[in-house]
Amino acid sequence: MTVPVNVTVTGAAGQIGYALLFRVASGQLLGPDVPVRLRLLEVPQAVKAAEGTAMELEDCAFPLLAGIDIFDDPTAAFDGVNVGLLVGARPRGPGMERSDLLAANGGIFGPQGKAINAGAADDVRILVVGNPANTNALIASAHAPDVPADRFNAMMRLDHNRALAQLALKAGVPVRDVANVIIWGNHSAKQYPDIAHAVVDGKSAVDIVNDDAWVRDTFVPTVAKRGAAVIEARGLSSAASAANAAMAHVNDWVNGTPEGVWTSVAMPSDGSYGVPEGLVCGFPARAKNGAWEIVQGLEIDAYAREKIDVSVAELIEERDAVTELGLL
Ligand code: NAX
């Protein structure tokens, strides 16, 4: 049998963890022929809950699940990691300033980066889901100097999927007929969901929709604020949709994006589209041979430029704040 792939999931006892782990164990992350060994990382007070989830995973008798280990120590959890899903993070509490939030998460993602540097497999791929995801990925990567920076991604795929769904609803077509939206910038309310290059049934989405006011005043804020709308309705933040997006992100990264289609990925900028080098920023990207390539040469009009710049400015602010805190 093939050697199992080590998948480390942090925040394993949380709600995204619960929506994610059963799908990973069933083979949906990497493919139906790839056995996985789960390595779950939690804070000590949540280890018992993670053990409960592990019992349920065992009870599924997944043929591809080669084992489950639970840790409260990042060095052990990331030893031998091939795929890391970094979900656990410190949420913003009442009265918490943004700098407190960045500092608290720096205290999580710095040590996790160090642990990845110490123990990861050569082919390691890390997807950061825990917020503020882009800057958490930057911090983790900065603490893993021996791992190529492009192995650290932050998740824009949920925003991407939300944009596909809203566009399909507007166009009155099934979501499978819609492709090539882009989420630029930060995974925050300042992201820029862009349909300028999207297609509906192979035709320009802008022409099909033919309604600039809808795009600017409805589509963009609906996608950017969808997380808050889900919290308002459900009383809890997005979990199954976030887990679904993480699955799709890693599956595409490893197995490649379909021909002619791109997705949205936050990865370290190489200077493309005027984004300062090194910022972990949302770009349109295709995966080939296990690596992402930023889609080049797309025309950016003045409106898009302004929206992208606003989001990038927020990423720069976050980077400057964590630099000042000594977290990079
Ligand atoms: P939960 O609060 O349900 O679970 C988080 C889990 O992480 C908890 O079990 C906690 O004990 C654990 N944890 C905290 N610190 C840890 C550490 N140092 N090591 C290991 N585990 C640790 O949150 P959940 O709803 O699962 O969301 C997790 C994260 O995803 C949050 O930061 C959330 O903001 C973020 N999200 C990101 C999204 C994205 O698109 N990038 C969308 C969904 C979600 O909002």
Side-chain angles (χ1 to χ4, degrees):
M1 186 152 157
T2 332
V3 180
V5 173
N6 288 323
V7 180
T8 299
V9 180
T10 77
Q15 52 153 4
I16 295 177
Y18 196 74
L20 192 59
L21 290 167
F22 296 85
R23 295 186 61 182
V24 174
S26 73
Q28 293 175 54
L29 186 73
L30 299 166
D33 307 317
V34 186
V36 293
R37 190 182 299 281
L38 282 170
R39 303 175 70 80
L40 313 184
L41 178 66
E42 258 298 349
V43 293
Q45 59 273 28
V47 160
K48 185 147 189 256
E51 284 168 358
T53 303
M55 288 162 69
E56 283 202 76
L57 283 160
E58 281 169 13
D59 295 348
C60 292
F62 288 119
L64 289 173
L65 183 57
I68 313 171
D69 295 293
I70 302 171
F71 305 93
D72 61 9
D73 164 33
T75 307
F78 287 108
D79 190 30
V81 60
N82 302 105
V83 176
L85 301 169
L86 276 51
V87 178
R90 176 75 193 276
R92 182 177 280 201
M96 208 172 173
E97 296 293 329
R98 208 170 60 125
S99 59
D100 300 335
L101 181 76
L102 290 167
N105 280 294
I108 294 174
F109 287 84
Q112 290 185 3
K114 241 185 226 167
I116 290 164
N117 199 54
D122 287 347
D123 68 348
V124 67
R125 291 182 179 84
I126 301 291
L127 175 63
V128 177
V129 175
N131 282 319
N134 302 54
T135 297
N136 289 342
L138 184 69
I139 293 171
S141 172
H143 288 79
D146 301 333
V147 177
D150 64 0
R151 304 293 187 77
F152 286 84
N153 289 179
M155 191 166 90
M156 309 298 282
R157 185 62 169 261
L158 177 54
D159 310 290
H160 183 94
N161 287 346
R162 288 166 172 165
L164 290 175
Q166 292 302 317
L167 183 53
L169 282 172
K170 173 72 175 171
V173 300
V175 77
R176 67 169 179 272
D177 291 347
V178 177
N180 297 354
V181 297
I182 304 167
I183 311 294
W184 298 94
N186 200 3
H187 168 71
S188 78
K190 287 192 177 161
Q191 64 183 251
Y192 177 47
D194 181 2
I195 68 156
H197 309 277
V199 288
V200 173
D201 239 343
K203 298 177 210 78
S204 157
V206 174
D207 292 348
I208 301 268
V209 169
N210 195 22
D211 186 350
D212 275 359
W214 175 82
V215 174
R216 293 179 186 196
D217 304 334
T218 302
F219 171 77
V220 169
T222 298
V223 173
K225 295 180 187 159
R226 185 71 163 180
V230 169
I231 292 174
E232 171 70 24
R234 208 172 86 87
L236 287 168
S237 56
S238 308
S241 56
N244 179 66
M247 300 290 299
H249 181 125
V250 172
N251 198 306
D252 280 352
W253 195 355
V254 173
N255 296 322
T257 38
E259 198 54 43
V261 170
W262 67 63
T263 183
S264 301
V265 175
M267 59 181 156
S269 174
D270 59 359
S272 293
Y273 298 100
V275 178
E277 246 177 81
L279 281 184
V280 178
C281 179
F283 288 107
R286 294 191 188 96
K288 227 192 259 166
N289 303 322
W292 292 112
E293 288 168 6
I294 295 172
V295 177
Q296 297 294 338
L298 300 175
E299 204 179 304
I300 308 294
D301 67 15
Y303 177 77
R305 186 70 263 168
E306 197 186 312
K307 300 290 269 185
I308 294 168
D309 288 348
V310 166
S311 200
V312 168
E314 187 180 50
L315 286 172
I316 293 171
E317 265 175 44
E318 289 183 13
R319 183 190 60 189
D320 291 350
V322 296
T323 305
E324 229 169 83
L325 290 164
L327 297 171
L328 282 192

